[in-house]
């Protein structure tokens, strides 16, 4: 070998040796000095912690009938394999799951804090979707099919406004703060209760998720299990609701509303009813029409939000309405307690009356003649109560209105959204207008007109206070909480929020007068043949329209039995026409169901 060739060989060997030394040094650096870092990265790519969703707590009625359960369902999730998310995979999932690509990307961005955990894109998908993903598993890196419990509402649209529904939608800050106080910190993307019991009791219902450590292949599919932590199911809730009574209430309201629509009452379509136990505040039934089916809400949602009747709104607590003559017991009790009327004094009704420059009339200008307070309530005489309103004055009338729970939430905390309503008063008018309060407005307020606006729950609570002779218990829906091991964590007890201090004799007068309402000659005479004595009051809340043709709202409140009340109720039928014509038939069916009255009886 000549010198030239030898020199070239030495150079080549030197280069090879140098490269070998560099590679060896780099390998040594990675293997020795960076061992922990790269070992961790390799393990992170190879091992995954897959969450196991805890079964949500089941919900039962007061007698143990199951209302909400769980069933297994498939969820499509996406996992970051360490190299980000594949655009082609996202595009395919967008088409398959009928989601916008931007929606998927938004989920990825909003859940970046959990990038190495599965990001759930769509829950409760069909077997067809599962099969199509399985067929292309090798082409879809990071796509995972999980089995998780899906909420199942046993009776469909039954009590939907009480039970609520599940979703991943936006949660108000004040709700998140409440959840955090109860031990649950919400994370964006969590599937949580969005209304009703499901929302208010989220921290107890959700349970504690478990997890499973698995080894995954290059496409993110689990190939071996290492360790498992079982989830802890959520607590079970037992409600105060009586399923049978709730079903009867909902059905009766639906039939009345449908009957109005069939008669071309185009204004009709909404109704609500609340049934309370006046001895405790327990809510036995609470219905809002129209309703929705939580099982199919995801599919029905576009139509529900467009429906002008607002099916997603709980009319029993989230809407307040004029109440008409159901308010007259407030005026009567104020007059009695203030001593401006005695039980024997009579007021003459000639059908109309002119006071302070305003002419007012009885319903349909009926002339009742001379009436005492018993007869005035029985026949719902406006003229009598105009006079009582003027005698006590608006300030006293507003005070007694608030004593009976009007103008403030009545205390329901088991579901959110209770509105406080409005009490007609100087203060309220001054918040809207600069005009002073006029005596003629007091006359309107005394019969439940003017600014008064009250929720059906407030009405039921009001008549329960009368039935209980002044006791205002907090209305409640959750009777008992039981953990997954069968231990009782909470039993609700009646909670007295307020006591209306009135003379016993005045309670006697009002209760007796209300019992006359449901006797022959009373405005609630449709209940005259009911085998159990009912004390009630009808109401017609007139609606102002351009041509006066808009039907009035129909209301009825009642408690029974008269001597030892067990049940108090309110029924409201929007644009249900004259007082009691549509609301009393609903109330009768509720009473028949509660007391188990059959036609033969």
């Amino acid at each position: 070998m000549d010198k030239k060739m030898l020199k070239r060989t030495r150079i080549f060997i030197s280069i090879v040796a140098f490269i070998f030394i560099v590679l060896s040094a780099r390998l040594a650096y990675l293997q020795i000095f960076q061992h922990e870092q790269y070992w961790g990265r390799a393990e992170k790519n190879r091992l995954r912690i897959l969450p196991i969703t805890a079964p949500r707590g089941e919900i039962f009625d007061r007698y143990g009938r199951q209302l909400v359960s769980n069933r297994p369902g498939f969820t499509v999730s996406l996992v970051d394999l360490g190299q980000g998310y594949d655009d082609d995979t996202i595009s395919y999932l967008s088409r398959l799951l009928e989601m916008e690509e931007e929606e998927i990307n938004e989920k990825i961005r909003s859940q970046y804090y959990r990038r190495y955990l599965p990001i759930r894109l769509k829950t409760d998908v069909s077997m067809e979707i599962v099969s199509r993903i399985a067929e292309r598993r090798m082409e879809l890196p990071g796509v995972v099919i999980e089995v998780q419990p899906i909420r199942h509402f046993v009776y469909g649209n039954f009590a939907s406004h009480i039970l609520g529904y599940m979703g991943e939608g936006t949660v108000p800050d004040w709700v998140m703060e409440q959840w955090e106080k109860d031990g649950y910190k919400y994370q964006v993307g969590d599937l949580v209760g969005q209304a009703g019991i499901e929302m208010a009791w989220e921290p107890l219902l959700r349970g504690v998720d478990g997890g499973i450590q698995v080894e995954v292949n290059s496409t993110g599919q689990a190939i071996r299990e290492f360790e498992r932590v079982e989830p802890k199911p959520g607590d079970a809730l037992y409600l105060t609701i009586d399923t049978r009574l709730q079903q009867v209430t909902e059905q009766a309201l639906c039939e009345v509303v449908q009957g109005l629509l069939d008669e071309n009452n185009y204004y009709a379509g909404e109704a609500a009813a609340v049934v309370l136990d006046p001895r405790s505040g327990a809510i036995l039934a609470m219905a809002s029409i129209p309703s929705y089916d939580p099982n199919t809400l995801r599919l029905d949602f576009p139509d529900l939000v467009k429906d002008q009747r607002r099916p997603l709104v709980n009319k029993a607590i989230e809407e307040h309405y004029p109440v008409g003559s159901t308010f007259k017991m407030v005026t009567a009790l104020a007059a009695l307690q203030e001593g401006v009327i005695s039980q024997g004094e009579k007021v003459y009704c000639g059908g109309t009356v002119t006071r302070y420059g305003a002419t007012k009339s009885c319903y349909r200008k009926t002339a009742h003649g001379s009436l005492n307070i018993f007869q005035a309530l029985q026949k719902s005489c406006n003229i009598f109560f105009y006079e009582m309103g003027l005698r006590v004055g608006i300030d006293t009338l507003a005070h007694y209105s608030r004593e009976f729970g009007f103008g403030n939430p009545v205390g329901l905390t088991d579901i959110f959204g209770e509105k406080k309503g409005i009490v007609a008063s100087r203060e309220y008018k001054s918040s809207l207008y600069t005009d002073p309060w006029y005596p003629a407005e007091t006359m309107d307020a005394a019969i439940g007109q003017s600014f008064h606006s009250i929720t059906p729950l407030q009405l039921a609570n009001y008549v329960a206070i009368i039935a209980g002779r002044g006791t205002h218990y907090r209305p409640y829906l959750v009777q008992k909480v039981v953990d997954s091991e069968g231990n009782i964590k909470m039993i609700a007890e009646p909670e007295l929020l307020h006591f209306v201090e009135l003379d016993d004799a005045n309670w006697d007068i009002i209760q007796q007068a209300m019992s006359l309402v449901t006797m022959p000659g009373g405005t609630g005479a449709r209940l005259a043949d009911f085998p159990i004595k009912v004390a009630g009051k009808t109401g017609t809340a007139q609606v102002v329209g351009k041509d006066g043709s808009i039907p009035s709202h129909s209301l009825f409140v009642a408690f029974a039995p008269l001597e030892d009340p067990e049940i108090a109720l309110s029924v409201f039928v929007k644009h249900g026409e004259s007082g009691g014509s549509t609301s009393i038939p609903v109330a009768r069916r509720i009473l028949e169901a509660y007391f188990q009255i059959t036609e033969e009886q």
Side-chain angles (χ1 to χ4, degrees):
M1 180 181 299
D2 57 20
K3 290 183 179 182
K4 189 175 182 179
M5 181 59 71
L6 182 60
K7 183 179 181 180
R8 289 178 178 176
T9 301
R10 287 175 177 173
I11 293 173
F12 176 75
I13 292 174
S14 298
I15 293 173
V16 171
F18 177 76
I19 293 173
F20 179 77
I21 292 170
V22 170
L23 292 176
S24 298
R26 179 62 178 169
L27 181 61
Y29 175 77
L30 295 176
Q31 290 287 336
I32 299 174
F33 297 103
Q34 296 292 310
H35 171 78
E36 294 296 330
Q37 177 183 344
Y38 286 99
W39 174 262
R41 288 178 63 179
E43 286 297 292
K44 189 175 288 186
N45 288 337
R46 183 176 69 92
L47 300 179
R48 286 283 186 274
I49 302 295
L50 300 180
I52 304 175
T53 303
R56 200 167 175 84
E58 297 176 322
I59 302 177
F60 303 85
D61 83 342
R62 66 188 298 112
Y63 299 115
R65 303 183 186 99
Q66 190 171 59
L67 304 179
V68 186
S69 62
N70 301 296
R71 61 174 176 78
F74 295 105
T75 296
V76 178
S77 301
L78 196 57
V79 179
D80 183 359
L81 298 179
Q83 301 175 344
Y85 300 95
D86 180 65
D87 290 339
D88 291 337
T89 298
I90 292 175
S91 178
Y92 176 75
L93 291 176
S94 170
R95 296 190 301 273
L96 181 63
L97 302 178
E98 297 181 351
M99 300 173 65
E100 296 291 336
E101 288 189 35
E102 179 55 32
E103 184 181 354
I104 296 176
N105 287 321
E106 179 58 32
K107 282 180 175 284
I108 292 171
R109 287 192 294 269
S110 65
Q111 300 180 53
Y112 183 77
Y113 66 92
R114 52 185 291 180
R115 59 178 298 192
Y116 291 110
L117 294 177
I119 297 175
R120 287 164 181 161
L121 302 182
K122 201 159 193 176
T123 60
D124 200 20
V125 300
S126 65
M127 275 302 301
E128 179 185 357
I129 290 177
V130 173
S131 299
R132 292 176 65 179
I133 290 175
E135 290 171 359
R136 301 186 58 177
R137 185 175 63 179
M138 301 304 294
E139 305 170 28
L140 301 172
V143 178
V144 178
I145 299 294
E146 299 178 271
V147 178
Q148 65 175 136
I150 302 296
R151 211 58 166 155
H152 176 59
F153 296 82
V154 178
Y155 297 99
N157 64 358
F158 167 85
S160 56
H161 294 95
I162 295 174
L163 300 173
Y165 58 91
M166 304 292 295
E168 297 179 8
T170 304
V171 177
D173 291 341
W174 66 269
V175 173
M176 287 192 284
E177 291 171 4
Q178 182 64 51
W179 285 349
E180 196 161 352
K181 289 179 184 177
D182 295 334
Y184 164 57
K185 187 172 179 60
Y186 171 76
Q187 299 285 359
V188 177
D190 284 353
L191 184 66
V192 295
Q194 294 287 332
I197 294 290
E198 294 282 18
M199 172 182 270
W201 291 79
E202 173 70 27
L204 293 182
L205 285 169
R206 72 176 293 103
V208 180
D209 291 347
I212 177 173
Q213 186 181 50
V214 298
E215 181 179 3
V216 298
N217 59 21
S218 60
T219 63
Q221 306 300 317
I223 58 176
R224 185 164 49 155
E225 177 181 326
F226 286 100
E227 186 178 356
R228 175 185 291 261
V229 176
E230 296 297 336
K232 180 182 178 182
D235 297 331
L237 303 184
Y238 288 78
L239 307 186
T240 58
I241 295 297
D242 179 340
T243 296
R244 189 173 62 89
L245 192 64
Q246 178 76 20
Q247 288 174 326
V248 168
T249 303
E250 291 184 5
Q251 184 178 3
L253 287 174
C254 285
E255 290 177 3
V256 161
V257 167
Q258 188 58 52
L260 291 169
L261 293 173
D262 290 343
E263 294 172 0
N264 298 323
N265 182 341
Y266 302 111
Y267 297 97
E270 301 176 27
V274 179
V275 185
L276 291 174
D277 184 339
R279 300 165 297 183
S280 65
I283 298 176
L284 306 178
M286 183 166 69
S288 175
I289 304 300
S291 61
Y292 59 89
D293 186 346
N295 292 318
T296 60
L297 181 69
R298 187 176 63 188
L299 299 175
D300 301 337
F301 190 77
D303 293 330
L304 292 172
V305 296
K306 293 176 185 176
D307 192 329
Q308 294 182 349
R309 300 176 303 162
R310 298 161 302 151
L312 296 174
V313 175
N314 185 349
K315 308 297 191 302
I317 67 170
E318 296 181 80
E319 292 283 9
H320 43 91
Y321 306 94
V323 291
S325 295
T326 57
F327 181 84
K328 287 176 179 175
M329 284 83 76
V330 174
T331 305
L333 282 166
L336 288 167
Q337 190 67 21
E338 295 298 314
V340 300
I341 187 72
S342 66
Q343 62 176 306
E345 182 181 348
K346 293 188 175 183
V347 173
Y348 179 74
C349 168
T352 62
V353 65
T354 301
R355 299 291 299 275
Y356 297 96
T359 299
K360 306 286 185 180
S361 64
C362 248
Y363 183 63
R364 294 176 179 170
K365 298 185 178 180
T366 301
H368 293 116
S370 296
L371 306 93
N372 60 27
I373 198 165
F374 296 99
Q375 297 163 324
L377 265 176
Q378 181 187 31
K379 299 181 182 299
S380 198
C381 176
N382 288 348
I383 304 299
F384 183 96
F385 289 99
Y386 289 145
E387 177 63 24
M388 295 305 103
L390 291 172
R391 290 186 186 185
V392 301
I394 187 58
D395 297 324
T396 300
L397 194 60
H399 165 73
Y400 280 93
S401 300
R402 296 187 182 98
E403 282 288 287
F404 283 95
F406 299 147
N408 286 293
V410 297
L412 177 63
T413 58
D414 289 336
I415 57 176
F416 300 144
E418 186 196 348
K419 295 292 190 294
K420 66 179 185 178
I422 300 168
V423 166
S425 64
R426 298 181 196 273
E427 296 80 10
Y428 183 76
K429 183 181 178 181
S430 66
S431 70
L432 301 176
Y433 308 105
T434 57
D435 294 347
W437 185 271
Y438 299 108
E441 294 175 294
T442 302
M443 297 168 71
D444 290 334
I447 65 167
Q449 301 289 346
S450 183
F451 297 108
H452 289 309
S453 192
I454 297 168
T455 69
L457 174 61
Q458 287 176 325
L459 274 179
N461 180 69
Y462 153 61
V463 76
I465 292 173
I466 295 174
R469 304 173 73 88
T471 53
H472 173 182
Y473 289 111
R474 182 189 299 278
Y476 65 99
L477 280 163
V478 177
Q479 181 64 54
K480 182 171 63 174
V481 179
V482 179
D483 69 17
S484 58
E485 297 177 356
N487 302 310
I488 297 176
K489 295 178 63 173
M490 185 276 283
I491 295 181
E493 298 290 342
E495 181 182 352
L496 182 64
L497 295 183
H498 181 60
F499 187 80
V500 183
E501 301 263 1
L502 297 179
D503 296 343
D504 285 342
N506 293 335
W507 288 120
D508 292 338
I509 291 170
I510 290 302
Q511 289 188 349
Q512 185 62 36
M514 290 178 68
S515 73
L516 296 176
V517 171
T518 60
M519 293 180 66
T523 57
R526 291 179 180 85
L527 288 171
D529 63 339
F530 198 75
I532 293 172
K533 191 58 194 170
V534 177
K537 184 68 190 76
T538 57
T540 300
Q542 296 178 346
V543 182
V544 178
K546 292 181 179 180
D547 58 359
S549 63
I550 300 178
S552 300
H553 305 317
S554 175
L555 301 99
F556 185 69
V557 297
F559 66 85
L562 173 64
E563 301 300 331
D564 187 16
E566 299 176 21
I567 180 176
L569 61 88
S570 70
V571 179
F572 171 83
V573 182
K574 191 172 183 179
H575 301 299
E577 302 172 351
S578 61
S581 60
T582 52
S583 53
I584 289 180
V586 174
R588 185 182 186 104
R589 289 179 61 179
I590 293 171
L591 292 166
E592 287 173 346
Y594 179 82
F595 291 109
Q596 300 184 27
I597 304 297
T598 62
E599 292 183 4
E600 290 74 18
Q601 292 174 286

